[in-house]
Each structure stands twice: as structure tokens, then as C-alpha cells.
Amino acid sequence: MIDGARLLCYNCGWTGDLESLRYTCPRCGEPLTIVYDRERLVEGSRKEMKGRGVWRYSAFLPFPEDVEPVTLDEGWTPLHQSRLARGLRLKNEGLNPTASFKDRGMTVAVTDARRRGATKVICASTGNTAASVAAYAARAGMTSYVLVPSGAVARGKLAQAIAHGARIIKVRGSFDEALREVLRIVSSDRSFYLMNSVNPYRIEGQKTLAFELWEQLGRRVPDVVVLPVGNAGNISAIWKGFKELKEAGLADSTPRMIGVQAEGAAPLARAFEEGLSELRPVESPQTYATAIRIGSPVSWRRALMAARESGGAIISVGDDSILEAQKDLARVDGVFVEPASAASVAGYRRALAEGLVDGGEEVVAILTGHGLKDPDAVSRFDFVEVEVEPGQLSRELSSYR
Ligand code: F0G
């Protein structure tokens, strides 16, 4: 029994204990969330934070104290000051063990999988989840099954899944269709443990980014957090982290959450702008930021809640401005990110232009994945590359003047 924690459905109010493994609400089908009693959070705030990364915040995770984590030392990523804008800081999640933020959720979910005796884990993915699942499953001695939309996964991510020994299943369809397949499988065959962010343990791991930011800023929260949104697990998780920090008495405010989608895959931005309470999925989502090429985000309700409750927004940006931001991050800040991650900085620029954010405010952009994940994306950059015969270098260089 895990004291002071239970499952809650934010949609219909269903609640249940953590013992039996459930991902979605038995009443309405919404992804479930793990919630803590206030006393448990306050008690957690009094415990010493030991070590670095995700498990530093274990007092806020749903495990007994003697749990043995499956870990690769994820988290504790750098927070850089950007040279692009005075008020902008960059949380570099590309420096996690498999080079994306997914590792935060995976260490927690695989730890739960092992506690429950699972040997097979499964996910649908646009690439990063697959890479991370493959690595953590390897670490735990489990077999991983990853479903990816065929032809739409960045090369670096696929290479990782191959390297870590995942069984790779390409689905002739979109990410949304692949996820529907996976959800069908896990509901009928309990031998597969689900690794998508429908699994509430993933959210628990990813919320630690909020705790870490709070510490990195000297036990304060920023004014605004801006991040890319695809399936919408991460915005839900980080918002949950900030709310818990406040409830625990560690922070006295919460930041505004600004989620950013790519224009061709922006059902949440549209729902937010139009004040809708239902999601209208995008049938064939398009963007070169393949990580967030998602038309029917599974955590859409939680994401809208995060934006509305926090006083933030969900906005969209065009592929051109994503590319521009990706290039600027690489060439001005020295930080190479994949296209989806650059959506956060493109979103910051739009938010600034539209007055959603003030230049004097402290804003943290979450850079969710490393640029090497998607090496083909740089074919869109302008660059200089020549080939010379040995002995011809000085002639070539003098032609530049
Ligand atoms: N940034 C990157 C680099 C991602 O890989 C993802 C999601 C997101 C942002 C969006 O996060 O889905 O929590 O809103 N990638 C998933 C995957 C879908 O399968 O790797 P989200």
C-alpha cells in the first residue's frame, strides 16, 4: 500500500487505489492521474533531497521508500541563459541519457513495471519515446515493442531503438493510429505494460522537471514556461509538478504554461483559441517537426486545463519559424536541438510579439530533444561545404575574402 496517493480521473472524478494497474478511467476512458494528499506533499517537502535528477524528488513519487529505481541518471539537465533574449532561459533536456526529456518518465514507469513483474513493455511513438523505452527496457532486462508511423521517424531515434534491441513495428498510418492499436492491445493482453504517457507513472517522472527548475532558480519558479506540445503529456506533467510544489508549501506561485504546436498539427491551439471544450482532431497532421506530428493528443483535456488554470495559452507556429528558431539556437546559443524543441523558442517569439509575454519576464523554454536525433533536418539549413584536393586549401580560403 502506498500511503497518501491514489488514482484520479480529472474528467469524471472516479478515484481508485494504486495497487491494481490501470491507465485509463474505468468509467469514462480518460487517462488517469496519480494525486497525493496534501499532508503527504507537505511531509515530502520536509525530507532531505538527496542525489541528482529524477530520484532526488522521490518523496514526491508514488513508491515505497525502499524502491530500487531502474535508472540511467536522468534529469539534472543544464539551464542556460539564452543570447537570443535577455529574459529567456533554455532548459536543455536533450542532455538526458537518451537525449530527450522522455527519460524522466521512463525511469519511473520502468521502475513500476519491474515492481509489478512485467517483462514486456510496449509503446507507440514518433521516435523519442521509442528510443527511451528501448534503453530503459534493456536496462531492466525486459523486451520492448515499439510502434512507429512508417516513414515518419527521424533517423537518430530509429537508430537508438535498433541499438537497444527493441522489436520495431512500423505502422502504415499516423502516430494517432499507432497509439490506438497499442491501447487496444494493452486493454486485452495484460502481459504488455504500457509506456505511453497515458500511463500515470510517466507523468510522475516528467513532473520532476518543475522541481528541478525551482531548485535551479534558487527555490523560485519562473514567470512563464514555454514548451512544445504533441500528445500533451509533458505540459500536463510539468504543470502538475508546479501545482504540487505550491501545495507542498515550497513555492508561493506557479508559472503560466504556454504550449506550442506546429501549425499543421495544432488541434489544441485551435481548441484554446476558440474556447472549445471538446477536441476536434486533425486528420492528417503535417509538420517537419515529426516529434509533434500528432492530430489527436491523448492528454488534450489535461493540456487545456494546464493552459487555462495557469493563465497561459496554447499557440501554434509555422514550420518556417520553427526552422528559424532551430538555426538561431544552434548558431547563436550553441545549442543543437531537434525541430520540435525549437517550437518552444518560435512560440516564445510569437508570444512576445502578441503581448502574451513581457520582455522583462523570466521565461524558461524547454528544449525537449537533441538535434542529433534528426540529422536530416539540417538539410534545410543554409551552409558552406566544399571539397578540396590536398594542397588546394589556401587557394580555396583566399576565394572567401
Ligand atoms: N518534443 C519532443 C522532442 C518530443 O519527442 C515530443 C513527443 C514532444 C516534444 C511533445 O511532448 O507528447 O508530451 O506533448 N514525443 C512523443 C514520442 C510523442 O513518441 O516520442 P508531448
Side-chain angles (χ1 to χ4, degrees):
M1 193 61 197
I2 291 152
D3 286 339
R6 66 198 158 88
L7 287 167
L8 173 71
C9 172
Y10 273 120
N11 186 38
C12 76
W14 180 90
T15 170
D17 69 49
L18 287 179
E19 291 308 297
S20 58
L21 179 61
R22 276 183 197 281
Y23 310 114
T24 51
C25 177
R27 222 153 58 186
C28 72
E30 184 75 4
L32 291 169
T33 305
I34 296 170
V35 292
Y36 303 89
D37 296 343
R38 181 150 184 282
E39 301 79 72
R40 157 102 194 234
L41 293 172
V42 172
E43 195 187 309
S45 74
R46 299 203 181 104
K47 297 217 171 104
E48 191 195 347
M49 293 174 183
K50 281 185 290 205
R52 282 148 63 105
V54 167
W55 296 93
R56 178 173 174 79
Y57 311 106
S58 55
F60 300 92
L61 295 176
F63 295 114
E65 271 183 33
D66 60 354
V67 68
E68 270 193 46
V70 179
T71 177
L72 289 163
D73 285 342
E74 48 296 308
W76 212 253
T77 55
L79 181 65
H80 313 291
Q81 170 61 51
S82 175
R83 296 210 306 132
L84 297 170
R86 193 168 41 88
L88 183 63
R89 294 194 200 220
L90 309 168
K91 181 69 171 154
N92 195 351
E93 289 286 286
L95 297 187
N96 272 298
T98 76
S100 85
F101 72 97
K102 304 286 181 182
D103 297 342
R104 290 182 186 272
M106 248 33 106
T107 180
V108 170
V110 172
T111 297
D112 182 63
R114 189 166 70 180
R115 266 169 28 90
R116 295 181 192 270
T119 57
K120 297 191 292 188
V121 293
I122 191 167
C123 70
S125 178
T126 55
N128 281 324
T129 295
S132 187
V133 164
Y136 283 83
R139 185 95 185 144
M142 296 176 189
T143 309
S144 59
Y145 298 78
V146 305
L147 278 78
V148 294
S150 87
V153 178
R155 262 197 306 146
K157 303 173 189 180
L158 207 51
Q160 289 177 290
I162 293 169
H164 294 300
R167 311 266 155 94
I168 299 161
I169 301 155
K170 294 187 172 173
V171 178
R172 292 191 199 100
S174 64
F175 165 84
D176 304 288
E177 286 166 305
L179 181 56
R180 276 198 289 275
E181 290 290 304
V182 167
L183 293 178
R184 256 199 299 275
I185 292 294
V186 295
S187 68
S188 62
D189 183 345
R190 305 286 293 174
S191 71
F192 286 99
Y193 184 97
L194 176 69
M195 294 299 280
N196 282 100
S197 56
V198 179
N199 179 338
Y201 288 89
R202 279 274 312 276
I203 302 292
E204 290 307 290
Q206 287 175 210
K207 81 179 180 190
T208 61
L209 191 146
F211 287 72
E212 214 174 278
L213 266 183
W214 165 79
E215 281 204 89
Q216 284 176 313
L217 293 171
R219 300 194 139 222
R220 264 186 325 102
V221 303
D223 296 312
V224 177
V225 170
V226 52
L227 76 165
V229 170
N231 212 22
N234 208 30
I235 189 169
S236 314
I238 296 173
W239 175 236
K240 181 177 196 288
F242 282 119
K243 281 200 299 189
E244 289 180 2
L245 274 170
K246 188 165 176 220
E247 218 181 323
L250 290 169
D252 48 24
S253 62
T254 51
R256 311 202 298 285
M257 303 293 297
I258 299 186
V260 188
Q261 298 202 289
E263 256 164 27
L268 278 165
R270 194 175 61 191
F272 183 85
E273 268 161 38
E274 296 176 11
L276 306 178
S277 52
E278 289 299 318
L279 187 84
R280 270 188 272 136
V282 171
E283 280 314 318
S284 32
Q286 287 307 327
T287 165
Y288 100 104
T290 54
I292 52 172
R293 191 186 283 171
I294 294 176
S296 184
V298 73
S299 292
W300 66 270
R301 227 185 274 274
R302 292 191 289 201
L304 286 177
M305 207 171 82
R308 287 173 182 153
E309 276 181 10
S310 72
I314 301 185
I315 61 178
S316 64
V317 292
D319 278 5
D320 287 352
S321 64
I322 294 178
L323 177 64
E324 199 62 32
Q326 190 190 13
K327 227 162 52 178
D328 287 346
L329 280 164
R331 295 186 177 175
V332 179
D333 273 324
V335 181
F336 182 28
V337 303
E338 65 168 285
S341 308
S344 60
V345 170
Y348 170 73
R349 287 171 165 167
R350 178 162 182 195
L352 206 58
E354 292 185 357
L356 285 173
V357 170
D358 182 275
E361 289 189 296
E362 184 168 52
V363 182
V364 174
I366 313 294
L367 305 181
T368 46
H370 200 286
L372 288 172
K373 291 275 194 178
D374 190 355
D376 299 316
V378 296
S379 65
R380 295 169 185 247
F381 286 30
D382 57 296
F383 62 99
V384 178
E385 183 184 74
V386 294
E387 213 172 299
V388 296
E389 295 299 334
Q392 298 296 304
L393 178 63
S394 64
R395 207 177 69 187
E396 174 62 30
L397 288 179
S398 63
S399 76
Y400 290 173
R401 286 185 208 113

